[in-house]
Amino acid sequence: MKIIVADDDELQRMILSAVLKEIGHTPIEAEDGAEAFDLLCKHRASVLVCDLSMPGMDGNALTEKVRATIHDRYVHIIMVTGHDQLAARQHALKLGVDEFMGKPLEAATLIARISIAERLVRHEALLQEKNRILEEAQRIIEQDLRAAARAQQRVLPGARVDGPLCSFYSAFVPSSFVSGDMFATFDLPDGRTGFYAIDVSGHGVSAALLSVAIGHLVTQDYFLANSFAPDGTPEPARLAAALNARFYHEDGDDYFTMFSGIVDHATGMLHFCQAGYPLPVIVSPSGATHEVGEGGFPVGLLADVPFDSGSVPLAVEETLVLYSDGASEAEDAQGTAFGEERLAQVIIDARARDVTTIPDAIVAALTAWRGQPSLDDDLTVLVCQRRTQE
Amino acid sequence: MIKVDTSEPDICVVVPDSERLTAANATAFKDHLVGLVDSGTARFVIDMSGIGFVDSSGLGALVGVLKRVGNRGEIVVCGLTDSVRQMFRITRMDRVFAAYPDRAAAVAALKETL
């Protein structure tokens, strides 16, 4: 181990160096504090034995400089002082000295002090190595998560989808890298438009794995095959029942809430199944809002529960807005939830300006409410606007 | 995080010692109650009067315990606050967990089923 020995007294340095060599270390001698500091940096040494009184930069000044500037490793500082310099030692301790040795030097004391320092230096090296491994592992995990987030984004529709009969505007904000939310929109035959939004319980990677699995499973064909009665009547509850049968596990805890809908443009009706998802709102041109649905069992939570299809008129002039519970439950610094009423006001105000701005207006309002850029829970906003037919 | 009152024979009254049942404590809550189920307790009153917020993970934990109890017993809740009642309504948990205004009413109702 390299040890910097700083003393203006040549004899003192020689004695220290001789003992250190004897026990297998490499002493590097310095005549004053400034030289000791340069050698410490040059040799990246972790142990310094220094005299308190030296011309120029003394032991205290050297200690202060080491503590203020060397942060990539811990430098163990052993200071040599007179035995009776108690006040000086207390002052030096405050500045950052680790141990003291009295004059005249005893070889046994020096050897004991150095072996303590050596243990600490080894321990620190071990910690640094562990830390390096952890940082590397974290870097790889984050890299994987970013790749997973990109993969998830690719499953999602774009922020704006202009179908022949309906436009959708959306915002999708994961609380961290990946999201337990998922949604999709479908142009269906017979002048109908389909869509769904889900929110897997919890958040993070395990929720995201399920949300992406659902995103891949529920294609347009799957949606079509599972959302209609044999006579062709829209029955979105069938989709929830099919997914419930598929994702319910006796010993599992994962489940998701869902809202799925079919807009029948010929009749002007929205057929929907509300499976525990927050109640969407319909905004009328006058700015009045009303909630859609009354609730329903979440999907995958309980076996063989009934799911209901409902329907409400959705006029061309009206706007349907879905949001995941990350919106209403977002809390400010005091723990107050944003709530449905504030959300409704944000939606009404944004719609009055331009219906396409609703998703971003909600994200902006929640970000301002929370007072920080990240969200606690995953957020999805999906706005459905029927198009006026020419 | 949970206080358990077993002064009633065969009925375990559980009082979560937190104002929230969320992803942060849902697993610990469930593990604790599943431990009680596995050691023979089958009738629970969960006193939610101190809980202002249950998130999806909290709901999952409650249902997880219910699944563990299965047909051997019963779980009822009491003292639902407005926000929790709303959450139970939207997820239909009001049809899964019988709810009572307070602990005495819940214990009395459970006793009748004994």
Side-chain angles (χ1 to χ4, degrees):
Chain A
M1 186 168 73
K2 286 178 183 172
I3 299 170
I4 308 298
V5 177
D7 201 316
D8 55 322
D9 182 334
E10 191 182 351
L11 180 65
Q12 199 74 249
R13 286 204 306 271
M14 277 174 57
I15 297 170
L16 281 164
S17 290
V19 175
L20 293 174
K21 272 183 198 157
E22 187 70 23
I23 54 173
H25 294 297
T26 311
I28 300 163
E29 295 184 17
E31 288 180 24
D32 56 40
E35 188 186 6
F37 183 80
D38 291 343
L39 291 171
L40 252 179
C41 295
K42 184 180 162 199
H43 292 279
R44 294 190 49 80
S46 292
V47 180
L48 166 66
V49 180
C50 73
D51 197 20
L52 168 58
S53 47
M54 290 184 286
M57 186 188 286
D58 69 359
N60 282 339
L62 173 59
T63 300
E64 279 187 293
K65 187 162 185 188
V66 167
R67 293 293 179 242
T69 56
I70 299 183
H71 301 296
D72 62 341
R73 65 189 184 281
Y74 189 76
V75 178
H76 197 83
I77 302 177
I78 302 167
M79 183 175 273
V80 183
T81 69
H83 279 290
D84 52 353
Q85 292 178 283
L86 270 182
R89 285 187 176 190
Q90 275 172 1
H91 179 61
L93 267 179
K94 281 184 192 153
L95 296 179
V97 168
D98 296 289
E99 307 227 34
F100 296 96
M101 286 193 300
K103 290 178 187 174
L105 284 170
E106 292 164 15
T109 311
L110 176 61
I111 291 167
R113 294 278 191 272
I114 292 295
S115 72
I116 291 170
E118 192 174 17
R119 262 204 319 274
L120 292 172
V121 168
R122 277 210 194 117
H123 184 67
E124 203 222 340
L126 208 67
L127 283 180
Q128 277 204 353
E129 176 60 10
K130 281 186 180 163
N131 204 24
R132 192 193 62 74
I133 293 169
L134 283 177
E135 280 176 3
E136 175 64 9
Q138 187 185 7
R139 192 188 63 76
I140 292 170
I141 290 169
E142 288 193 2
Q143 187 180 316
D144 286 351
L145 282 171
R146 267 187 280 275
R150 285 194 296 276
Q152 180 167 42
Q153 282 288 348
R154 281 197 287 272
V155 180
L156 294 167
R160 174 171 185 158
V161 177
D162 289 313
L165 301 167
C166 237
S167 288
F168 290 94
Y169 314 104
S170 61
F172 185 83
V173 187
S175 57
S176 161
F177 297 104
V178 289
S179 170
D181 289 358
M182 181 59 62
F183 71 96
T185 66
F186 308 109
D187 288 326
L188 304 178
D190 307 323
R192 287 165 175 159
T193 305
F195 63 90
Y196 76 86
I198 60 152
D199 179 355
V200 177
S201 66
H203 44 86
V205 172
S206 68
L209 284 171
L210 181 52
S211 74
V212 172
I214 297 163
H216 280 291
L217 173 70
V218 185
T219 57
Q220 170 138 345
D221 288 345
Y222 188 94
F223 187 92
L224 260 178
N226 289 284
S227 299
F228 293 87
D231 68 358
T233 314
E235 267 187 28
R238 287 169 174 260
L239 179 65
L243 293 173
N244 196 57
R246 182 161 183 136
F247 287 101
Y248 174 81
H249 295 290
E250 190 61 48
D251 54 354
D253 280 345
D254 288 337
Y255 69 94
F256 53 96
T257 61
M258 178 168 85
F259 187 94
S260 74
I262 296 163
V263 182
D264 190 326
H265 296 277
T267 62
M269 295 298 285
L270 165 68
H271 303 269
F272 65 88
C273 174
Q274 218 289 19
Y277 202 81
L279 307 182
V281 294
I282 290 177
V283 195
S284 72
S286 68
T289 62
H290 62 273
E291 291 179 335
V292 180
E294 294 176 332
F297 289 107
V299 182
L301 186 61
L302 291 160
D304 304 321
V305 287
F307 294 94
D308 301 325
S309 297
S311 57
V312 289
L314 180 64
V316 174
E317 309 77 43
E318 292 178 320
T319 307
L320 175 70
V321 182
L322 279 72
Y323 52 80
S324 58
D325 59 11
S328 49
E329 291 175 3
E331 292 176 347
D332 67 3
Q334 283 74 47
T336 308
F338 194 67
E340 284 85 4
E341 281 179 29
R342 288 188 193 88
L343 260 176
Q345 197 55 54
V346 171
I347 292 167
I348 291 164
D349 293 347
R351 187 185 185 278
R353 292 192 300 274
D354 176 356
V355 66
T356 66
T357 65
I358 294 174
D360 287 345
I362 292 177
V363 173
L366 295 178
T367 306
W369 182 253
R370 282 183 53 74
Q372 54 188 59
S374 70
L375 293 171
D376 229 14
D377 193 5
D378 305 320
L379 173 68
T380 297
V381 180
L382 180 61
V383 176
C384 170
Q385 181 67 58
R386 295 181 58 200
R387 289 159 75 104
T388 316
Q389 297 304 301
E390 284 137 25
Chain B
M1 64 153 284
I2 297 170
K3 281 187 235 151
V4 174
D5 176 357
T6 50
S7 54
E8 291 289 340
D10 302 320
I11 295 176
C12 180
V13 178
V14 178
V15 188
D17 191 13
S18 164
E19 292 172 9
R20 304 155 66 86
L21 187 56
T22 66
N25 56 7
T27 305
F29 175 83
K30 187 192 158 192
D31 290 349
H32 191 132
L33 264 65
V34 163
L36 293 173
V37 174
D38 290 347
S39 58
T41 309
R43 284 163 197 282
F44 291 89
V45 172
I46 302 177
D47 185 343
M48 311 269 284
S49 53
I51 296 196
F53 177 57
V54 175
D55 75 356
S56 60
S57 302
L59 191 66
L62 285 171
V63 174
V65 179
L66 182 71
K67 278 154 80 174
R68 194 62 161 244
V69 168
N71 298 326
R72 287 174 293 157
E74 203 168 344
I75 301 180
V76 302
V77 294
C78 68
L80 298 190
T81 56
D82 285 348
S83 121
V84 176
R85 185 184 305 281
Q86 164 84 348
M87 206 259 192
F88 271 44
R89 186 176 69 80
I90 289 178
T91 55
R92 295 260 159 99
M93 290 302 111
D94 52 0
R95 299 192 190 174
V96 175
F97 297 98
Y100 297 92
D102 54 40
R103 213 184 289 188
V107 169
L110 265 193
K111 271 186 182 168
E112 283 188 14
T113 67
L114 273 174

